[in-house]
Amino acid sequence: KRYVPELAPAQDPERNTIPLETLDSKAVFNYGEDLDKLKHAEDYYAKFSSEIRPGKSKTNRSSNEYIEKLKKFNIAPEQVAKVVPDRIFSIAMHPTEHKMLASAGGKWGALGLWDINDKDSAENGVYLFNPHSRPINWQSWDMFNDRNLITTSYDGTCRILDIEKLESRLLYGDEDFIDSSYCTQHQQIDANTFLITKGKTGCVGVVDLRKGHTSTVTDYRLFDRISPKCLSVHPVQTNIICAANNKGGTYIFDIRQDGKGKGAKSASLMEPIAELMGHARSVSTALFNSTGSRVATLSWDDKLRVFDTTTMKGSMRSIKDVRHNNNTGRWLTPFKGHWHPVHEDIYFTGSMAQPRELEAWQITSSSI
């Protein structure tokens, strides 16, 4: 599951690339030539940035109480908005308490931000940006600067959308790399350090903002010419990472060990400290929960599995697994599960059920 025979490189379609440089507000905003709309967006996000209140890291509501509240939720037509022009590949919620700001990454690089409770403005709270040229596979708000939205795209770049300045800066953009590979996910270690997956090289690279965006400072070779599709950093032990691929392989690595180098050719193949067993097909999600005590995985073998990661060693079997239809097919985006940021035992997934719905799972030591 960690090796693949070397094949002739596929011919990539011609790309309409975005310059590897900082994009100012006129360049990144979808209506940058419309000065009135641009001014409205600048004023809106300047005000939003000044009012940000950090979200709670704890709650007085129990998980059972939270689940009961979720059961009463419903979606009304006025709570639905067209945020990007094409299929959504990733979403994120801003951690502030003063508003509900959702972001959606589209198939062709569009990034839409939606103030969900804005019912009065001409834009209905939706502002559209164009920082990428290919699907935005993953996004997250900077844990140390909540005015920065980090996006990773299949175009081979990672960017930082600064909503206060309304500009898009490069986190990672290597001209040589984007000509031959792609990125699927990033994870943040600290205020300046990020991990990014480097496509078919099989590597995860370290980007240090203090060193610039044109190259990774270190590469960890996790797989032999297999893309690390999923990546998760342990929330407490940031030297521990979980990575999964499209062969069903899911592993936990300690990046303090050997396996680092500069580029896939110089880095030796790392030895995992643990293998999460069971999946037979491509894994679309493998994430630690907020305490690092669990990893949940979703796979195209139609399974949701949960692993106890209080101890990480050797071959590990799931403590719980359930059948879950993850075969989204060609026209739907593969499911990416997410843990609740506060309730460590609540996990969210998409659903193939009709009508379409969002599923919330409560995962305990005895049941899912």
Side-chain angles (χ1 to χ4, degrees):
K1 294 179 180 178
R2 300 183 64 216
Y3 303 86
V4 66
E6 189 159 11
L7 303 174
Q11 296 298 314
D12 287 338
E14 184 178 350
R15 299 185 180 191
N16 297 316
T17 57
I18 289 176
L20 296 179
E21 61 189 24
T22 296
L23 306 175
D24 62 17
S25 57
K26 289 185 67 176
V28 73
F29 185 53
N30 192 62
Y31 305 101
E33 299 303 320
D34 187 324
L35 297 183
D36 289 337
K37 286 187 176 181
L38 177 59
K39 181 66 164 57
H40 193 282
E42 290 174 335
D43 290 345
Y44 178 86
Y45 282 106
K47 184 173 185 295
F48 178 91
S49 298
S50 68
E51 296 174 345
I52 289 175
R53 296 197 303 270
K56 294 179 180 179
S57 58
K58 296 182 179 180
T59 179
N60 293 324
R61 183 183 290 124
S62 70
S63 294
N64 288 335
E65 291 172 325
Y66 182 76
I67 288 290
E68 290 304 312
K69 185 175 181 180
L70 281 178
K71 291 178 180 178
K72 300 176 183 177
F73 280 12
N74 58 66
I75 299 176
E78 60 270 19
Q79 294 172 302
V80 178
K82 182 75 171 178
V83 182
V84 291
D86 36 48
R87 185 178 5 145
I88 292 174
F89 272 67
S90 60
I91 59 173
M93 291 295 298
H94 195 283
T96 185
E97 284 197 331
H98 84 289
K99 283 184 181 291
M100 286 197 294
L101 182 68
S103 57
K107 181 177 181 179
W108 295 109
L111 180 65
L113 271 64
W114 176 31
D115 178 352
I116 296 172
N117 291 326
D118 182 353
K119 306 293 193 301
D120 303 320
S121 71
E123 295 81 9
N124 292 311
V126 176
Y127 294 89
L128 187 63
F129 304 87
N130 293 296
H132 295 284
S133 61
R134 289 292 182 270
I136 299 176
N137 299 311
W138 191 261
Q139 51 182 304
S140 64
W141 290 95
D142 190 325
M143 296 186 296
F144 298 87
N145 184 344
D146 48 19
R147 289 151 182 82
N148 290 341
L149 177 60
I150 317 298
T151 55
T152 292
S153 170
Y154 207 77
D155 65 12
T157 67
C158 303
R159 282 187 168 271
I160 303 169
L161 179 67
D162 185 327
I163 61 171
E164 186 171 29
K165 298 179 181 179
L166 226 58
E167 68 176 20
S168 175
R169 302 186 297 273
L170 277 165
L171 171 67
Y172 175 68
D174 181 338
E175 189 169 355
D176 293 332
F177 175 78
I178 64 175
D179 287 337
S180 60
S181 199
Y182 51 88
C183 297
T184 55
Q185 195 168 338
H186 67 263
Q187 289 281 284
Q188 187 169 12
I189 295 179
D190 58 38
N192 295 298
T193 312
F194 295 79
L195 296 178
I196 59 166
T197 59
K198 299 183 70 176
K200 58 190 177 184
T201 67
C203 290
V204 167
V206 179
V207 175
D208 189 329
L209 292 176
R210 296 162 296 190
K211 303 291 186 180
H213 66 260
T214 57
S215 65
T216 51
V217 295
T218 301
D219 288 324
Y220 298 99
R221 188 172 169 225
L222 308 186
F223 306 122
D224 181 35
R225 300 185 301 278
I226 304 175
S227 171
K229 287 187 63 177
C230 315
L231 182 66
S232 183
V233 173
H234 194 285
V236 180
Q237 305 174 65
T238 55
N239 56 292
I240 300 297
I241 64 173
C242 181
N245 59 43
N246 63 359
K247 305 298 181 183
T250 309
Y251 302 88
I252 294 177
F253 299 89
D254 185 340
I255 59 176
R256 296 172 300 183
Q257 296 182 358
D258 291 338
K260 62 183 179 180
K262 187 65 174 174
K265 293 182 179 179
S266 65
S268 59
L269 193 65
M270 290 189 72
E271 286 296 325
I273 61 173
E275 179 179 2
L276 308 186
M277 307 289 290
H279 288 307
R281 299 183 65 189
S282 179
V283 178
S284 61
T285 302
L287 285 177
F288 285 107
N289 68 356
S290 60
T291 61
S293 62
R294 298 283 189 271
V295 165
T297 59
L298 287 175
S299 168
W300 280 61
D301 63 9
D302 286 342
K303 287 288 187 178
L304 160 60
R305 297 182 188 273
V306 179
F307 298 84
D308 182 346
T309 50
T310 51
T311 300
M312 296 168 280
K313 185 177 180 181
S315 298
M316 299 172 58
R317 295 288 178 181
S318 57
I319 56 171
K320 295 293 174 184
D321 62 77
V322 295
R323 177 171 173 78
H324 187 267
N325 185 356
N326 299 317
N327 279 271
T328 50
R330 181 178 179 183
W331 306 110
L332 297 177
T333 304
F335 292 143
K336 298 183 178 77
H338 284 272
W339 290 97
H340 191 282
V342 177
H343 294 285
E344 62 178 306
D345 58 342
I346 295 179
Y347 185 71
F348 296 95
T349 67
S351 172
M352 292 298 292
Q354 295 282 4
R356 295 289 186 243
E357 59 190 21
L358 180 69
E359 295 173 340
W361 303 78
Q362 187 171 19
I363 300 170
T364 67
S365 58
S366 59
S367 65
I368 296 182

